[in-house]
Amino acid sequence: AQAGLDGLSKLDQAANSDMIDYARYVLAQLDVLEGQCNTNTRKQLDAFARHHRDEMGTSAINGPAAWRYARIELYLGLCGMQVDTHDAASMQLTEDAARKILEAPEADPHSRRLARDTLRKLKN
């Protein structure tokens, strides 16, 4: 992912901005999954979430692909909890996103597994 981002950054950034944003999102996901989220990672995830929320409009909340936006929120919430373990807003965001993913039959297996594991950890 880092090599891809480096390569994309050498190209026309305006023409490749969506791919650059996605590569940054993938790197941020990896930070979260490795438990290495920091404030910079959180900013990357927040920017990605904001961009997609603006792009998707109300369908981000209640449309057929709302689980996809919930996946972004899940990573954002998990990151927030890694940055500040007492962040109640991040905990709530994480829980809500995980539930939305599990309620969506079309959610991918990885997201479902992460959501299920996350809810299990939140209960403990």
Side-chain angles (χ1 to χ4, degrees):
Q2 185 62 52
L5 177 58
D6 293 343
L8 286 167
S9 297
K10 293 176 186 174
L11 302 174
D12 180 3
Q13 291 200 4
N16 294 294
S17 64
D18 286 343
M19 289 299 296
I20 291 169
D21 289 345
Y22 185 73
R24 288 183 179 140
Y25 172 59
V26 169
L27 289 169
Q29 286 178 316
L30 293 172
D31 282 351
V32 171
L33 294 174
E34 292 173 350
Q36 297 179 0
C37 191
N38 55 48
T39 54
N40 187 47
T41 307
R42 191 172 182 173
K43 287 178 187 175
Q44 292 289 339
L45 287 167
D46 190 44
F48 192 79
R50 190 173 38 258
H51 172 78
H52 282 278
R53 188 174 47 248
D54 292 347
E55 189 176 271
M56 294 174 74
T58 59
S59 66
I61 306 301
N62 57 15
W67 73 269
R68 292 179 191 271
Y69 184 73
R71 179 177 52 200
I72 298 168
E73 288 186 322
L74 179 61
Y75 282 101
L76 183 58
L78 289 169
C79 182
M81 290 170 48
Q82 288 176 18
V83 170
D84 178 0
T85 57
H86 302 292
D87 184 350
S90 290
M91 287 179 160
Q92 189 64 55
L93 179 65
T94 302
E95 183 177 347
D96 293 347
R99 290 187 191 289
K100 187 173 275 190
I101 290 167
L102 290 176
E103 291 170 359
E106 62 277 1
D108 68 87
H110 170 72
S111 296
R112 295 179 71 74
R113 185 171 43 254
L114 180 60
R116 198 171 23 258
D117 291 348
T118 297
L119 287 176
R120 195 174 301 123
K121 287 177 185 175
L122 287 174
K123 288 180 184 178
N124 293 331

